[in-house]
Amino acid sequence: MSKITLEEKKIILYFSEGFYEPRNNDYLAVEGKGIISIEGSDLEFCTVYLFDSVGNSGQFSGEKYRLDAFIHEFPHMDFEIIDETYGYNQSKFSGYIYEGDKMKECTVDIYHFGNMKYIVEK
């Protein structure tokens, strides 16, 4: 993910390298730039967790942001999404964010009532 923007009650996630689509027990690159449009978001319950270290166990430290504050502090980013989780009115994106030569774990939690659309701009 390269950028997140807010438009009224819609959150837009931008992907400079597009998406990968699961097909026949494999993942195929979808050509074109991709975005995810998430409608009906409630910013009071949208958060980002940015952890200072990378690892599977042990103590950790980091920072919790409101999504709008995170967008202000990180207007452009290099966020590699490793896992997506969906549940009752919630979407989570977990992976690694790169800041120069530093890598941190990151989780973006989005609470929403509307549709989530994957859009490819060819």
Side-chain angles (χ1 to χ4, degrees):
M1 180 183 339
S2 57
K3 180 171 73 170
I4 304 173
T5 62
L6 303 174
E7 298 177 9
E8 294 182 26
K9 288 204 173 248
K10 188 187 300 184
I11 296 171
I12 308 290
L13 312 177
Y14 294 84
F15 296 85
S16 59
E17 297 180 26
F19 301 118
Y20 288 91
E21 176 183 353
R23 192 182 301 160
N24 300 328
N25 294 325
D26 200 4
Y27 294 94
L28 302 174
V30 176
E31 290 187 28
K33 291 187 178 187
I35 64 170
I36 298 176
S37 173
I38 303 172
E39 300 170 354
S41 60
D42 187 344
L43 288 178
E44 292 294 319
F45 300 102
C46 296
T47 55
V48 177
Y49 299 89
L50 190 57
F51 302 103
D52 291 331
S53 60
V54 176
N56 291 329
S57 60
Q59 292 184 334
F60 60 88
S61 64
E63 195 160 349
K64 178 180 177 183
Y65 295 87
R66 281 180 46 119
L67 182 61
D68 50 355
F70 179 80
I71 291 169
H72 180 72
E73 189 162 332
F74 298 91
H76 299 282
M77 66 190 79
D78 184 6
F79 180 30
E80 177 184 14
I81 296 174
I82 302 298
D83 189 39
E84 300 176 34
T85 308
Y86 310 100
Y88 182 74
N89 294 341
Q90 188 175 24
S91 299
K92 277 186 194 206
F93 303 92
S94 300
Y96 303 103
I97 195 165
Y98 301 91
E99 296 177 297
D101 62 345
K102 294 174 76 176
M103 180 172 78
K104 297 181 178 185
E105 287 189 45
C106 184
T107 300
V108 177
D109 293 342
I110 299 175
Y111 189 78
H112 58 96
F113 299 100
N115 293 325
M116 184 168 127
K117 299 175 186 174
Y118 285 75
I119 302 167
V120 177
E121 300 173 343
K122 296 196 179 207

